Amino acid sequence: MSKEYIKAQTPLPAYFPYPKFLLQMSLSHTARLTYVLLLDRMTLSQKNSWVDVQGRAYVLYPLAGLAEDLQSSISSVTRALLELCTPIACTGPSMRTRAGQEKLQLLKTMQV
């Protein structure tokens, strides 16, 4: 079996942005990956100018879709979101609200 190494001209595979500050935060692996997926989805929001009345970009991401993308359960995703933002006051990097029967999530991802 021959080994192939990445060369200067080798195209890189698709990747997610992973902010370095996440490495210093005491978060679960699921919470970190949740933030990474939200940040990736934020590029679509910025491209489509999805902003609220205060000019803050937001992400629409159903819990079921987020759970599927993380290959995790909805309860695990919910715990991860609570880790990122406490129910009393948002101290983490996201704010969450619900909309409609399908529990479509409106998430405003904050810079840290």
Side-chain angles (χ1 to χ4, degrees), residues 64-98:
L66 193 50
E68 182 179 328
D69 291 345
L70 287 168
Q71 298 179 350
S72 190
S73 67
I74 290 176
S75 61
S76 293
V77 171
T78 302
R79 279 193 304 276
L81 289 170
L82 287 174
E83 255 188 277
L84 293 170
C85 186
T86 66
I88 299 166
C90 191
T91 57
S94 69
M95 294 188 295
R96 177 180 153 202
T97 58
R98 291 184 184 180

Side-chain angles (χ1 to χ4, degrees), residues 34-42 59 61 81 94 107 109:
T34 299
Y35 186 80
V36 166
L37 287 179
L38 293 174
L39 187 59
D40 182 62
R41 194 59 81 93
M42 184 59 70
V59 174
Y61 214 148
L81 289 170
S94 69
L107 295 145
T109 305

Side-chain angles (χ1 to χ4, degrees), residues 22-35:
L22 287 176
L23 298 173
Q24 276 70 48
M25 296 181 76
S26 59
L27 296 170
S28 68
H29 186 65
T30 303
R32 291 175 191 201
L33 289 178
T34 299
Y35 186 80

